[in-house]
Amino acid sequence: MVALSQSSAAGVLALLFDPEPLLKQYALKSLNSLVPQFWAEISEHIALIESLYESEELPQEAHDQAALLASKVYYYLGEYDEALSFALGAGSAFEADSRSPGNEEYVETVVSKAIDRYIQSRTAEQAGDGKVDPRLQGIIEGIFRRCIEDGEYRQAIGIALESRRLDVIKHIYEQTHDTSLLSYAMEAVLDTAFPLAYRDQVLKFLFPLFPAPTSDAKSPHVYSLTRILVTLNSPEMTINFLTSLVPGQKLLAYQFAFDLVEGGGQDFLEAIRKDLPEGNEESKPIYDQLRKILRGQESIKLYLEFLKRNNKVDMLILKNTKDALEPRSSIYHTALTLQNAFMHAGTTSDVFLRENLEWLALANNWSKFSAAAAIGVIHKGHFQESMNILGPYLPAQGAESSTGSSAYSEGGALYALGLVNAGCGSGQEVENYLRNLLKNAASEVVQHGAALGLGVAGMGGKSAEAYDDLKQTLFTDSAVAGEAAGYAMGLIMLGTADATSAEEMLTYARETQHEKIIRGLAIGLALIFYGRQEEADDMVKLLMAEKDPILRYGGVYTLALAYAGTSNNAAVRQLLHVAVSDTSDDVRRAAVTSLAFLLFKNPAQVPRMVQLLSESYNPHVRCGATLALGIACAGTGLQDAVDILEPMTRDSVDFVRQGALIALGMILVEQSEASSPSLASTRALYAKIVSDKHDDPMARFGAALGQGLIDAGGRNVTISLQSRAGSRNTSAIVGMVLFCQFWYWYPLAHCACLAFEPTGIIGLDENLKAPKFEFISNAKPSLFAYPSPTKPPKKETVTKVATAVLSTTAKAKAREKRKAAAEGETVATDEKKDGDVEMKSGEPSTTRNEDVSPISLAEGTSTPKSRKSEPSFEKLSNFSRVTPAQLAYITFPPENRYQPVRVVSTRPPPGPSKNPKSASAAALAAERYAGGGGILIMADTRPGEKTEYIEFETQPAAPAAGAPPAAQNPPATAAGRHIALDENAPEADPPESFEYPFDNDT
């Protein structure tokens, strides 16, 4: 017999009016199962159901059923808060009902509402305002229990963090002893926008829970420990941690010191150095080594040596660009200057400048300023020799030079001095020198260079004296010097959120008439609030309400820098709103670009977010979208980003094309032809646009910069806004913000070099010397190979066109010969004429169905057979380039003498991939940051054996004797020994023989 389906709940509802309590109880129980079908009908009696819930004549079970029924009705009516209130009153009935099928959606909604309300109540309780409802507490405890029983630990940790229940995190860890859960909690609190005070409280709570690291265990949580110490910026906590490792784990202490240098600010490192204990007889040498490492200069020397040793710049690309771009045009001269600076950044190789002195001499005014500043980018990190290298260009002692044109080279050299010493911890001497020049210089161009140099060299130093000197320069109201002073004031007070400085800068920005000064101060204000999250909200509100679009432009960057790397939803929403609603194109462009600074830890999200903006009718918004993709996805080779940018290289507006070409260079830096299918076509596109004299100057400028970025740092650096441990890379973020200002002021483009991160494995032993050793990369060499060098065009020789001889003709002639021989006649044989080519049917043709792929060309093969024979691994030596995606493939065989004291990569080794092209994309999806690599301290497993060390090429040179007077024209002196650094260095080997393409001489 088939059960009849119910068509109405009227019969059951009638029982609610019955005076008998048992019938009412039965009706409430029955209605609970009918709500999904008849909620509209039941809702008409909601007042009666509520009165039954409050009635005293019914038993407790009926009360609970009435509350559950009311909760479900309110849920279907969309009144979720009411639904939650009654669910809390339902007690055990809600708990029991949550397990019955068909109620999943209702239970999920009520639970999520309960969690939200619990989080609000806990936050209020922490602030001393009210108490949590015990019924709500009961529901949440039940959720925690269920999550832990089901093994959903991460879900429980997420709720615990939001609701400030740190005891739950501790309970979970004590139960599981899984350090990856603590790392997850740390990432969650750092990469989402929790208030700063609570963030620090959580980190201080998590830090002691991590087990003490040992070099034998090689546990990946060492990265988490480094990140916590860098974020908390607490010298006391860091010193306690380092002293706990001495002397037992001294190698690990050295490793932590190198990792702290990479992420920590100068003032933080200085405080640790000052307060580190002297130690006893055994530990004193260890503490001395730690102080030496924490100065930061050891790391810089090692990376400088790495970049110099592995320099793979393709000089032919530079030569072709130089030949194609008209040097007398200021924009083209600057483009080539920047391209050369980026390509040779940190390599100390100025061959191109020395070989092209005539080109260099054509620089005028601000082009000359940029050309002199480029020397600082090329020698970035060579702080020991900075005064010798730049000596010929710096202003003479006592006063600046009298000639007007050399003021530009002097100003550029001062800016270069700042770039060389950026983040070197050698700032004090250089800062004093720049401050004196800033005060004494009469030329605003020299002041401009000195202010920019002082800002970059003293970044985050919080020096009150430098700030006051810059303020005096600002108050002269010179547009050129004032703009640089505005940027530099922000750089000096980076991340301090200093109210007095901010107030002074904002007041002056409102009073001055110079747009340049307003812009410098607007970005300076943004830098002051770097990383301050909610502390910057008032300033953002103030700036976004300004009438002056330049101050609103500063407001956009203030918001982006305050929440840098947090992916804060409210900040993203506000930027997107500004991007589509502001009346100023500049502000809209800046708002879209700024998304990159919020989202760079989740690069895969950015293409989806800017997809629609990249198709906007407004070219400024499209241009902003290109830079957002470039900065956020830099170095990832992310194909989704490339797919959006490639059509934009054909945009109808020149500056959109420029942005797209620059962004492609950033994304494809350090990619190989095997890992990124777009690499070869992008390089070809750059060459085509640069050589096309009819193309827009802005697009050609963008292509030249793209060529520089894609081969940055001798093809040995990536562009990364986060450190290897995953914390924010402050100098890189600041460098990219200043690079974005090239739209208004080309010399600021040099600051992109602050974001260049050398990618190599540099192994050191306990004496901080580099021993010779090998390790293995378990990937095909072609996957992470350097791009093949550009081949010069072959010399064309005029040759006779070969006459084809058909096989049928040959057969006919052979027949005639045989016939004549048979008849005994001697027929004059028709010899093959010169150039006749016989076409044989057996010869394979390469014209059809045998396209040669660019990857096979790159590998020097053209047949599938030889490509299969490529080895599946390669041996690399100390100081080799290892790209971020390659780190996961690196192993140190257990039989090796030298073993690293911490894991090389935070990622487990990847499994065999069917499609090698997807390696970098898979790596990106697997983890948001690469982690690992860099400077590794190696444990010597066979200490008794003799050690071979690597000899360094970059040795300190003797000071240059008698530099020529500064009044000389810099291009003329550039040929001298002041660019070649070491007079006493052994002579280089003669170059290898090659064929010179004479026909291409112009």
Side-chain angles (χ1 to χ4, degrees):
M1 183 176 165
V2 181
L4 294 171
S5 62
Q6 203 162 342
S7 60
S8 168
V12 184
L13 281 167
L15 294 176
L16 292 177
F17 295 94
D18 197 284
E20 178 56 49
L22 273 174
L23 288 174
K24 286 179 182 174
Q25 192 174 339
Y26 169 76
L28 289 168
K29 201 168 185 180
S30 304
L31 285 168
N32 262 315
S33 57
L34 297 174
V35 174
Q37 199 175 353
F38 301 113
W39 60 268
E41 199 175 343
I42 299 168
S43 67
E44 292 172 14
H45 302 278
I46 191 69
L48 174 61
I49 295 165
E50 283 184 35
S51 66
L52 289 173
Y53 164 59
E54 290 158 8
S55 162
E56 291 177 6
E57 61 182 50
L58 291 173
Q60 184 59 42
E61 192 187 341
H63 275 210
D64 291 351
Q65 291 291 347
L68 182 62
L69 179 58
S71 172
K72 286 186 178 179
V73 171
Y74 277 120
Y75 161 72
Y76 283 108
L77 288 169
E79 297 286 345
Y80 298 130
D81 289 330
E82 290 288 329
L84 172 60
S85 299
F86 281 102
L88 291 176
S92 57
F94 177 75
E95 189 82 21
D97 195 65
S98 63
R99 292 190 179 85
S100 55
N103 289 332
E104 294 85 358
E105 206 173 304
Y106 158 70
V107 171
E108 203 174 295
T109 308
V110 170
V111 165
S112 67
K113 275 285 164 195
I115 293 168
D116 289 346
R117 190 179 294 183
Y118 182 68
I119 290 165
Q120 285 169 2
S121 305
R122 282 284 300 169
T123 311
E125 188 180 49
Q126 297 267 313
D129 181 19
K131 278 188 76 68
V132 178
D133 183 337
R135 299 175 305 174
L136 184 60
Q137 182 84 30
I139 282 191
I140 299 299
E141 293 295 345
I143 292 168
F144 282 136
R145 268 198 312 278
R146 206 171 314 140
C147 285
I148 291 167
E149 282 165 15
D150 298 348
E152 297 285 349
Y153 299 119
R154 295 191 172 205
Q155 197 173 348
I157 287 172
I159 299 169
L161 280 174
E162 290 268 8
S163 58
R164 310 192 174 210
R165 287 286 305 276
L166 301 184
D167 57 301
V168 175
I169 298 175
K170 188 174 183 180
H171 171 69
I172 290 173
Y173 178 66
E174 284 169 352
Q175 197 171 319
T176 60
H177 292 287
D178 183 355
T179 52
S180 68
L181 293 175
L182 293 180
S183 296
Y184 171 77
M186 178 212 67
E187 281 171 32
V189 81
L190 283 174
D191 296 343
T192 46
F194 282 100
L196 288 180
Y198 177 59
R199 182 195 75 181
D200 291 354
Q201 181 194 336
V202 174
L203 294 180
K204 282 175 184 162
F205 173 80
L206 290 174
F207 191 77
L209 293 180
F210 281 101
T214 60
S215 51
D216 307 330
K218 289 190 187 173
S219 50
H221 72 264
V222 292
Y223 293 104
S224 303
L225 294 173
T226 307
R227 199 171 167 195
I228 290 174
L229 291 170
V230 167
T231 308
L232 286 174
N233 215 25
S234 162
E236 184 191 351
M237 197 169 163
T238 310
I239 289 165
N240 290 341
F241 176 66
L242 288 173
T243 49
S244 72
L245 296 172
V246 175
Q249 296 283 343
K250 66 173 184 180
L251 294 181
L252 205 53
Y254 295 160
Q255 183 67 67
F256 270 104
F258 275 117
D259 292 348
L260 288 168
V261 164
E262 198 158 295
Q266 288 301 323
D267 51 341
F268 170 58
L269 299 172
E270 180 65 46
I272 300 172
R273 275 203 308 274
K274 209 187 297 174
D275 297 339
L276 263 180
E278 284 300 316
N280 54 28
E281 204 171 307
E282 185 191 0
S283 61
K284 189 177 187 310
I286 301 172
Y287 284 122
D288 290 345
Q289 286 278 52
L290 284 172
R291 280 192 193 84
K292 184 181 173 188
I293 296 168
L294 289 164
R295 279 189 70 77
Q297 300 183 354
E298 285 301 306
S299 305
I300 286 162
K301 285 181 200 167
L302 290 165
Y303 283 131
L304 188 72
E305 175 67 23
F306 163 74
L307 291 175
K308 186 172 182 181
R309 184 177 283 272
N310 293 302
N311 182 8
K312 293 282 192 296
V313 169
D314 192 339
M315 297 299 285
L316 198 60
I317 294 176
L318 272 170
K319 181 187 176 299
N320 291 343
T321 305
K322 178 186 149 292
D323 294 342
L325 298 180
E326 170 54 52
R328 292 192 182 278
S329 163
S330 166
I331 183 173
Y332 293 149
H333 199 287
T334 304
L336 187 54
T337 297
L338 289 167
Q339 181 181 341
N340 175 45
F342 291 159
M343 278 185 165
H344 286 104
T347 62
T348 73
S349 165
D350 37 37
V351 181
F352 181 77
L353 296 176
R354 279 188 278 124
E355 287 177 354
N356 295 284
L357 296 174
E358 302 80 16
W359 167 79
L360 203 54
L362 294 170
N364 272 319
N365 301 342
W366 288 108
S367 294
K368 189 181 284 188
F369 181 95
S370 289
I375 296 171
V377 178
I378 290 169
H379 292 285
K380 182 179 180 296
H382 208 172
F383 58 91
Q384 293 163 302
E385 296 296 314
S386 57
M387 298 302 274
N388 286 347
I389 297 160
L390 296 163
Y393 314 113
L394 293 169
Q397 289 297 316
E400 62 180 278
S401 63
S402 53
T403 55
S405 67
S406 62
Y408 289 97
S409 59
E410 287 169 12
L414 293 170
Y415 178 23
L417 194 62
L419 289 167
V420 172
N421 288 281
C424 288
S426 59
Q428 205 51 53
E429 195 182 316
V430 171
E431 275 180 48
N432 292 339
Y433 173 76
L434 289 168
R435 276 177 51 213
N436 289 334
L437 273 168
L438 184 66
K439 284 187 279 195
N440 300 327
S443 161
E444 61 179 6
V445 178
V446 176
Q447 283 182 324
H448 182 89
L452 284 176
L454 182 56
V456 173
M459 188 193 300
K462 308 176 180 58
S463 161
E465 297 85 3
Y467 177 81
D468 288 338
D469 289 343
L470 288 162
K471 194 162 66 176
Q472 295 314 312
T473 306
L474 176 71
F475 289 162
T476 59
D477 209 43
S478 150
V480 172
E483 177 186 27
Y487 289 124
M489 287 159 79
L491 288 166
I492 295 286
M493 304 303 278
L494 181 72
T496 57
D498 184 59
T500 317
S501 311
E503 187 58 40
E504 284 174 347
M505 290 166 74
L506 183 57
T507 305
Y508 194 82
R510 284 169 171 161
E511 288 170 2
T512 185
Q513 297 300 305
H514 295 292
E515 283 194 3
K516 276 177 171 288
I517 294 179
I518 300 171
R519 184 168 294 108
L521 288 168
I523 296 297
L525 276 168
L527 295 169
I528 284 179
F529 286 97
Y530 166 76
R532 302 306 294 205
Q533 297 192 12
E534 68 275 4
E535 291 173 34
D537 288 351
D538 292 341
M539 179 55 73
V540 172
K541 207 170 179 183
L542 206 60
L543 289 170
M544 297 305 277
E546 290 282 340
K547 283 183 180 172
D548 187 339
I550 303 175
L551 286 175
R552 294 204 303 278
Y553 177 90
V556 163
Y557 274 106
T558 307
L559 180 64
L561 285 178
Y563 289 96
T566 62
S567 307
N568 182 302
N569 279 335
V572 169
R573 207 173 297 122
Q574 191 173 350
L575 285 176
L576 288 170
H577 175 69
V578 172
V580 294
S581 66
D582 200 276
T583 52
S584 162
D585 283 336
D586 283 3
V587 179
R588 293 175 73 170
R589 187 183 67 251
V592 183
T593 303
S594 294
L595 288 169
F597 297 107
L598 290 171
L599 298 166
F600 64 78
K601 288 187 178 171
N602 301 303
Q605 282 186 9
V606 181
R608 193 165 43 86
M609 194 165 282
V610 301
Q611 171 81 56
L612 288 173
L613 293 169
S614 69
E615 297 163 13
S616 166
Y617 71 92
N618 185 325
H620 289 267
V621 172
R622 297 203 297 276
C623 179
T626 62
L627 286 176
L629 286 166
I631 294 167
C633 306
T636 61
L638 194 62
Q639 195 57 40
D640 291 349
V642 174
D643 291 342
I644 293 174
L645 287 167
E646 278 184 335
M648 297 178 84
T649 59
R650 301 184 290 277
D651 198 276
S652 56
V653 179
D654 53 359
F655 59 79
V656 178
R657 296 175 63 206
Q658 173 183 271
L661 292 163
I662 290 171
L664 279 171
M666 289 182 184
I667 291 169
L668 294 174
V669 64
E670 275 203 327
Q671 299 298 311
S672 71
E673 289 175 358
S675 68
S676 180
S678 309
L679 187 74
S681 59
T682 304
R683 286 182 179 279
L685 179 67
Y686 286 149
K688 176 177 172 290
I689 290 173
V690 164
S691 58
D692 184 357
K693 288 185 166 51
H694 303 293
D695 216 325
D696 299 308
M698 287 183 87
R700 295 177 79 191
F701 180 91
L705 253 66
Q707 280 182 325
L709 290 165
I710 206 168
D711 287 335
R715 295 180 168 172
N716 293 302
V717 301
T718 188
I719 297 171
S720 173
L721 299 194
Q722 51 193 338
S723 72
R724 288 184 178 84
S727 56
R728 287 186 304 239
N729 184 344
T730 301
S731 64
I733 293 169
V734 170
M736 271 300 153
V737 167
L738 292 173
F739 171 77
C740 290
Q741 311 314 310
F742 80 87
W743 179 275
Y744 307 100
W745 197 234
Y746 282 146
L748 290 171
H750 285 304
C751 290
C753 72
L754 298 173
F756 292 171
E757 186 80 29
T759 55
I761 283 188
I762 298 171
L764 302 177
D765 65 5
E766 61 180 354
N767 304 314
L768 304 191
K769 289 183 178 175
K772 291 183 177 175
F773 62 81
E774 287 187 333
F775 53 93
I776 290 174
S777 167
N778 293 302
K780 290 185 176 181
S782 64
L783 194 59
F784 301 110
Y786 285 103
S788 44
T790 315
K791 291 184 174 63
K794 286 177 183 167
K795 189 177 174 183
E796 288 181 18
T797 53
V798 180
T799 55
K800 279 185 179 180
V801 178
T803 312
V805 179
L806 298 175
S807 55
T808 49
T809 315
K811 282 176 187 171
K813 285 184 179 176
R815 239 190 339 267
E816 279 177 29
K817 271 189 207 171
R818 280 199 301 276
K819 195 175 174 185
E823 290 171 5
E825 295 172 15
T826 53
V827 179
T829 54
D830 194 5
E831 293 293 331
K832 261 189 212 171
K833 296 174 193 168
D834 279 352
D836 280 6
V837 175
E838 188 169 339
M839 291 179 72
K840 295 176 185 172
S841 55
E843 280 185 9
S845 163
T846 54
T847 51
R848 287 176 59 204
N849 303 330
E850 289 198 26
D851 292 338
V852 181
S853 75
I855 294 174
S856 65
L857 286 173
E859 292 166 357
T861 63
S862 57
T863 60
K865 204 176 286 180
S866 57
R867 201 164 67 219
K868 275 180 192 167
S869 65
E870 187 187 1
S872 60
F873 70 94
E874 64 177 323
K875 283 188 176 179
L876 298 169
S877 59
N878 194 4
F879 274 82
S880 289
R881 177 185 93 152
V882 177
T883 66
Q886 190 178 2
L887 279 167
Y889 297 86
I890 297 299
T891 53
F892 284 78
E895 67 274 9
N896 272 22
R897 176 179 173 181
Y898 289 98
Q899 295 291 336
V901 296
R902 69 152 157 80
V903 285
V904 179
S905 171
T906 50
R907 285 199 302 273
S913 168
K914 288 179 185 173
N915 179 11
K917 286 184 186 179
S918 64
S920 59
L924 183 75
E927 190 143 336
R928 286 174 292 181
Y929 49 83
I935 298 168
L936 295 173
I937 299 291
M938 312 297 287
D940 188 352
T941 57
R942 301 196 285 276
E945 293 181 17
K946 192 182 172 189
T947 307
E948 266 192 276
Y949 289 110
I950 292 172
E951 282 187 32
F952 280 16
E953 296 171 15
T954 316
Q955 297 295 349
Q968 283 186 308
N969 212 5
T973 59
R977 68 172 186 278
H978 304 289
I979 285 183
L981 291 175
D982 189 356
E983 293 286 312
N984 308 317
E987 280 191 21
D989 294 333
E992 293 175 15
S993 58
F994 66 98
E995 189 177 324
Y996 186 83
F998 291 99
D999 290 2
N1000 294 337
D1001 279 2
T1002 48

